[in-house]
């Protein structure tokens, strides 16, 4: 079955619009009557990935495929990359600068939250090249 | 208990959004946004000092029933506008997070 496919550009310029792509996906899923229990998990997981691209990678792209039984999301950026992915996945690990910590980010809980709320996640990252975060959330 | 009932009982001042009849399922206190997204439950009233636009996004995406800015913490103008357009209820109180949570717990128990 062909999915509903969406692609969003996530600007790295400011925090004012951060979360817009996740918000749009959430609105769309509600409109099409997607599994209610999945919508919140999808919205939070995607937001964490989206905000990471803004904070750590100067923006990127969000690709979303909505299938009847699952949603697949790929967040891709050409930022600095992650040197040690296992370490980045640890609760509390963060390289967020002070100015974004003042906004409430930098707890080092974003990637662990993605793991918690998705059924599957995978990170491909190369230093100096960029980062891809794949996630799948089952629709039920 | 609805958000409206709670706001009335606690004499909260509404700063933004709609006074809604969403059910308050509990309460979460915190200022670190990823902690809130990971731990707050759907429908929780969120007590925080973080009155910025990112907090509004968190409340929306995590389906929290309202934001209560404790100790009269500041609400940014762009956050107020965003909350109004997204229907996220934001209240202010001069009380501490602890005092508010104790009262909310009593209301939920009663
Ligand atoms: N897209 C990315 N590009 C480069 N580095 C990243 C990216 N996403 C995450 N990281 C790295 O992984 C670390 C952990 O990410 P995580 O989302 O868990 O925490 P955080 O963003 O620092 O804080 P929080 O999400 O709690 O606000 C980041 O501090 C950063 O060093
Ligand atoms: Mg993060």
């Amino acid at each position: 079955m062909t999915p509903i496919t969406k692609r969003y550009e996530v600007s790295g310029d400011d925090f004012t619009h951060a979360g817009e792509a996740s918000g749009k996906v959430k609105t769309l899923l509600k409109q099409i009557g997607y599994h209610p229990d999945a919508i919140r998990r999808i919205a939070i997981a995607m937001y964490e990935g989206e905000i990471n691209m803004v904070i750590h990678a100067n923006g990127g792209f969000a690709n979303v495929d909505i299938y009847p039984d699952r949603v697949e999301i790929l967040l891709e950026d050409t930022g600095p990359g992650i040197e040690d992915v296992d370490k980045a996945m640890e609760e509390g690990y963060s390289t967020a600068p002070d100015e974004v910590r003042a906004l409430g980010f930098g707890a080092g809980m974003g990637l662990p939250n993605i793991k918690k709320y998705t059924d599957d996640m995978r990170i491909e990252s190369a230093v100096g090249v960029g980062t891809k975060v794949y996630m799948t959330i089952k629709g039920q | 208990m609805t958000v409206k009932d709670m706001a009335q009982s606690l004499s909260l001042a509404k700063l933004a959004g709609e006074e809604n009849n969403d059910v308050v399922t509990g309460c979460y206190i915190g200022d670190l946004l990823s902690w809130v997204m990971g731990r707050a439950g759907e429908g929780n009233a969120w007590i925080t000092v973080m009155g910025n636009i990112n907090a509004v996004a968190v409340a929306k995406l995590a389906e929290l029933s309202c934001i209560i800015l404790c100790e009269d913490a500041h609400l940014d103008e762009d956050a107020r506008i965003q909350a109004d357009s997204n229907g996220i209820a934001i209240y202010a109180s001069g009380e501490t997070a602890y005092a508010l949570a104790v009262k909310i717990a009593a209301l939920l128990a009663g």
Side-chain angles (χ1 to χ4, degrees), chain A residues 104-121:
Chain A
F105 299 107
M109 292 295 286
L111 294 177
N113 277 349
I114 296 176
K115 181 146 189 72
K116 174 178 175 178
Y117 285 119
T118 59
D119 295 289
D120 190 44
M121 88 176 277

Side-chain angles (χ1 to χ4, degrees), chain B residues 49-62:
Chain B
V49 295
M50 205 55 82
N52 64 30
I53 195 158
N54 308 109
V56 176
V58 166
K60 181 185 175 196
L61 294 166

Side-chain angles (χ1 to χ4, degrees), chain A residues 26 40 48 104 113 116-117, chain B residues 33-34 37-38 60 62-63:
Chain A
K26 180 163 192 182
R40 182 173 187 264
E48 290 285 15
N113 277 349
K116 174 178 175 178
Y117 285 119
Chain B
L33 303 179
S34 288
M37 278 186 287
K60 181 185 175 196
E63 295 169 24

